[in-house]
C-alpha cells in the first residue's frame, strides 16, 4: 500500500477543520482533510457537530417551531386567522435533515473546488516519521498519509451525567434532542445553558411542557445581568419552567419515561416524571481514536489538547483548533482558529481576537453579546458608562410586532471606547455584527451614534443605545 504525501493533513472536518483545510489549500499547500462522520447511508457527512447535530439542525428546528408559534399565537394580531393548525413533526425533522445534507454536500463541493483531498474515515497518528507524521485513515479502505503539518480539529462530545447515560431514546444528548419523533408531553432538560434553552424552546413552542433543571443559582451567568434578568422574565412568561440551584440526585429510566429526583434550591426533595430528558450540561473535548499517545501529544486534565496562543501543540508542526482546545466552544471561534493556523503554517501572522468573539443564543427573543458584561467591568474595576435603548421605542420592532428587549452599550468612562454590547430582542444575532466590527476597529460609542442607520430598521436601536451612553437618545 502506497503512502500519500501532503503538506498539511487536517484531522476532523467540522468548522475548525474544513475551514483550515480550505485556507491551507488556498495558500498553495497540498492539503488533505480526514473526517469520519457518516450519514444515515454510511456515506461522508463533513461539517462535524456544527453541521450534523449542532448549529445548523438546531437553527432549522428553531425556525420551524417559531413559524408554528407565530401561526398559533401571533398571526391573529395581523388579521390572519387559521383554522386546523397542525404540526407534522416528521416533516419538520425531514426538512431539518435536508438542510443538513445541503450543508454536507456544500462542504464536499468546496473541497473539490479548492483541491482539498478528502478522506472518509478515522484518522489516527501512527508515528513521527521523516520530519513529519504518518497518519492512518481507517475507512472503507485503510490508507496511510504522510504529513509535514498536522491540524487536529476533532471537536467535542456531549458531557454525560453520571448515572444517566445517553440512550438517545429517553435520555437524549443534542443528537437525540434534534430528532425526537413526536412532541413529548413532558420534557425535562438538565442544564439551562445554550442547548437547554434552544432545544427547550423548540419543543415548548410545539406544545411540550418543559422543565429545565439548572445547578447554578444564577440564570445565564455568562450573559450581562440585565440581559439574563430580562430573558428569565420572558422565558417564564412563555411557559418555560426554569428551576435554578437544583442538585440532581438520581435519574431513573422506566419503560416509557424517565424520573428525576433532585433537591430544589431550598433543599426540598422533588421527583418529576418526564417523557423525554435532554441532558445538556456542557461538552468535553474529543480525542477518541486519535492515538495521541503514539506521538506523545500533550492533553490537559480535561482531555483538551494543550496549545499555546497560536494553537501550537506540544509537538513540532502539530496544531489544534476548535472545541478540542481551550476557549469557547463556538463554530465561528473554531473557523477563525482554522484560518489563523493555515496562515501561520504559511509564515503569515494569523490572528484571532478572543475579545471580539460574539455569543448568540437563538431563542426568541434572541440574545447576543460581544465584549465585557457590566458585572465583569465592575469586578475588574473599570470605569464605564452604560447606555440602553428598548425595542419598544423602535418603529421597525413595532411594525414587526416584536418589541421585547433592548440594546445596551458599555463604553469606557474616559475614552468612550466600546467595551461591550448586549442585545436581547429581534434579530440580535444579526445586529451584533455591527458591534463586533466597531470593537475590532476600537470605535467609540460616539462613532456609532454619529453613523447614519437606515430607517426604519432594528439597527436604529443600536445607534440609539450608543447615543444613550451620552444620555442623548432621540426617540426615547
Ligand atoms: P466538530 O464540529 O465537533 O467537528 C469535529 C469533526 O471531527 C467531526 O466531524 C468528527 O466526526 C471528526 N473527528 C473526530 N475525531 C476524528 C478522527 N480521529 N478522525 C476523523 N475524524 C474525526 N456554535 C455556534 O457557534 N453557533 C451555534 O448556533 C451553535 N449551536 C450548537 C448547537 C448544538 C446542539 C451543539 C451541540 C453545538 C452548537 N454549537 C454552536 C457549537 C459548535 O457546534 C461547535 O463549537 C463546533 O462544531 C466546533 O467545531 P470543531 O470543528 O472544533 O469540531
Ligand atoms: P453550556 O455550558 O452552555 O450549559 C451547561 C449548563 O448546564 C450550565 O448552565 C451549567 O451550570 C449546567 N450544569 C452543569 N452540570 C449540571 C448538573 N449536574 N445539573 C444541572 N445543571 C448542570 O452547555 P450546553 O448547553 O451543553 O452547550 C454546550 C456548548 O455548545 C455551549 O457551551 C456552546 O459553546 C455550544 N453551543 C452554542 C450554541 C450557540 O452558539 N447558539 C448553541 C448550542 C450550543
Amino acid at each position: 500500500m502506497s503512502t500519500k504525501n501532503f503538506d498539511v493533513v487536517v484531522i476532523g472536518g467540522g468548522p475548525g477543520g474544513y475551514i483550515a483545510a480550505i485556507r491551507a489549500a488556498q495558500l498553495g499547500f497540498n492539503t488533505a482533510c480526514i473526517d469520519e462522520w457518516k450519514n444515515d447511508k454510511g456515506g461522508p457527512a463533513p461539517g462535524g457537530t456544527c453541521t450534523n447535530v449542532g448549529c445548523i439542525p438546531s437553527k432549522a428546528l428553531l425556525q420551524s417551531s417559531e413559524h408554528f408559534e407565530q401561526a398559533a399565537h401571533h398571526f391573529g394580531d395581523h388579521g390572519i386567522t387559521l383554522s386546523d393548525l397542525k404540526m407534522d413533526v416528521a416533516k419538520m425533522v425531514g426538512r431539518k435533515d435536508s438542510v443538513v445534507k445541503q450543508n454536507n454536500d456544500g462542504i464536499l463541493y468546496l473541497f473539490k473546488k479548492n483541491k482539498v483531498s478528502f478522506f472518509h474515515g478515522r484518522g489516527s497518528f501512527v508515528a513521527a516519521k521523516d520530519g513529519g507524521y504518518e497518519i492512518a485513515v481507517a475507512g472503507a479502505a485503510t490508507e496511510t498519509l504522510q504529513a509535514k503539518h498536522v491540524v487536529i480539529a476533532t471537536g467535542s462530545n456531549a458531557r454525560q451525567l453520571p448515572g444517566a447515560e445517553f440512550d438517545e431514546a429517553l435520555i437524549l444528548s443534542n443528537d437525540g434532542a434534534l430528532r425526537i419523533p413526536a412532541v413529548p408531553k413532558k420534557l425535562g432538560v438538565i442544564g439551562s445553558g445554550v442547548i437547554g434553552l434552544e432545544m427547550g424552546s423548540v419543543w415548548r413552542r410545539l406544545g411540550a411542557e418543559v422543565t429545565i433543571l439548572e445547578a447554578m443559582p444564577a440564570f445565564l451567568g455568562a450573559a450581562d445581568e440585565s440581559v439574563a434578568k430580562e430573558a428569565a422574565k420572558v422565558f417564564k412568561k412563555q411557559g418555560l419552567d426554569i428551576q435554578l440551584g437544583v442538585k440532581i440526585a438520581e435519574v431513573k429510566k422506566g419503560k416509557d419515561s424517565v424520573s428525576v429526583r433532585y433537591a430544589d434550591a431550598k433543599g426540598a426533595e422533588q421527583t418529576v416524571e418526564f417523557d423525554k430528558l435532554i441532558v445538556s450540561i456542557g461538552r468535553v473535548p474529543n480525542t477518541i481514536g486519535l492515538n495521541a499517545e503514539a506521538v506523545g501529544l500533550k492533553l490537559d486534565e480535561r482531555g483538551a489538547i494543550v496549545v499555546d496562543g497560536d494553537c501550537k501543540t506540544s509537538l513540532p508542526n502539530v496544531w489544534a483548533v476548535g472545541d478540542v482546545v481551550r476557549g469557547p466552544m463556538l463554530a465561528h471561534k473554531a473557523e477563525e482558529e482554522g484560518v489563523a493556523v493555515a496562515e501561520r503554517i504559511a509564515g503569515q501572522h494569523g490572528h484571532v481576537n478572543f475579545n471580539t468573539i460574539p455569543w448568540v443564543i437563538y431563542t426568541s427573543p434572541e440574545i447576543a453579546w460581544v465584549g465585557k458584561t457590566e458585572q465583569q467591568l465592575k469586578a475588574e474595576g473599570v470605569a464605564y458608562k452604560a447606555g440602553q435603548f428598548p425595542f419598544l421605542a423602535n418603529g421597525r420592532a413595532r411594525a414587526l410586532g416584536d418589541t421585547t428587549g433592548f440594546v445596551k452599550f458599555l463604553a469606557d468612562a474616559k475614552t468612550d471606547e466600546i467595551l461591550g454590547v448586549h442585545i436581547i430582542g429581534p434579530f440580535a444575532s444579526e445586529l451584533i455584527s455591527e458591534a463586533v466590527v466597531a470593537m475590532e476597529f476600537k470605535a467609540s460609542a460616539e462613532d456609532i451614534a454619529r453613523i447614519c442607520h437606515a430607517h426604519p430598521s432594528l439597527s436604529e436601536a443600536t445607534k440609539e443605545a450608543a447615543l444613550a451612553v451620552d444620555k442623548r437618545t432621540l426617540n426615547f
Side-chain angles (χ1 to χ4, degrees), residues 145-167:
L145 315 184
Q146 174 70 21
K148 287 186 195 146
H149 291 266
V150 180
V151 182
I152 304 168
T154 46
S156 62
N157 292 318
R159 188 151 80 86
Q160 304 250 10
L161 185 68
E165 277 66 41
F166 299 124
D167 63 5

Side-chain angles (χ1 to χ4, degrees), residues 309-370:
D310 284 347
C311 291
K312 278 188 185 141
T313 68
S314 57
L315 300 173
N317 300 331
V318 178
W319 312 72
V321 301
D323 281 11
V324 77
V325 303
R326 83 285 174 263
M329 289 186 169
L330 295 172
H332 41 284
K333 175 263 193 185
E335 291 182 13
E336 291 302 304
E337 287 184 334
V339 168
V341 159
E343 293 178 350
R344 285 169 195 143
I345 292 173
Q348 299 179 3
H349 297 281
H351 178 64
V352 181
N353 184 356
F354 272 69
N355 295 323
T356 54
I357 294 176
W359 278 87
V360 178
I361 307 177
Y362 294 80
T363 44
S364 180
E366 291 185 346
I367 296 168
W369 72 89
V370 58

Side-chain angles (χ1 to χ4, degrees), residues 272-297:
V272 193
E273 193 91 3
F274 298 112
D275 299 309
K276 303 268 178 200
L277 179 71
I278 298 174
V279 178
S280 47
I281 55 169
R283 298 180 63 81
V284 288
N286 169 40
T287 52
I288 299 166
L290 194 58
N291 199 20
E293 320 76 66
V295 283
L297 184 70

Side-chain angles (χ1 to χ4, degrees), residues 10-18 34-38 45-59 62 119-124 136-137 152-158 173-175 177-178 194-195 198-199 283 286-291 321-325 328-335 337 358 360-362:
V10 181
I11 307 178
Y18 90 78
I34 310 167
D35 188 82
E36 66 177 341
W37 206 293
K38 287 187 184 134
T49 301
C50 168
T51 301
N52 292 295
V53 289
C55 323
I56 301 298
S58 61
K59 267 78 253 179
L62 279 156
F119 293 88
H120 188 214
R122 172 167 286 186
S124 53
V137 185
I152 304 168
T154 46
S156 62
N157 292 318
S173 70
N174 55 298
D175 185 359
L178 289 159
V194 203
I195 295 180
E198 290 188 355
M199 297 320 298
R283 298 180 63 81
N286 169 40
T287 52
I288 299 166
L290 194 58
N291 199 20
V321 301
D323 281 11
V324 77
V325 303
M329 289 186 169
L330 295 172
H332 41 284
K333 175 263 193 185
E335 291 182 13
E337 287 184 334
V360 178
I361 307 177
Y362 294 80

Side-chain angles (χ1 to χ4, degrees), residues 199-247:
M199 297 320 298
S201 293
V202 165
W203 297 104
R204 179 203 58 76
R205 291 170 190 167
L206 301 180
E209 209 180 288
V210 179
T211 304
I212 305 184
L213 303 172
E214 165 61 48
M216 298 301 285
F219 179 59
L220 269 187
D224 190 84
E225 267 170 15
S226 56
V227 168
K229 214 167 131 200
E230 176 76 2
K233 200 174 78 192
V234 182
F235 294 149
K236 188 170 177 203
K237 205 165 144 208
Q238 290 174 348
L240 276 183
D241 175 13
I242 303 172
Q243 301 201 23
L244 302 173
V246 311
K247 202 163 183 289

Side-chain angles (χ1 to χ4, degrees), residues 244-247 262-270:
L244 302 173
V246 311
K247 202 163 183 289
Y262 64 96
D264 67 16
K266 292 187 182 125
E269 192 175 289
Q270 310 281 353

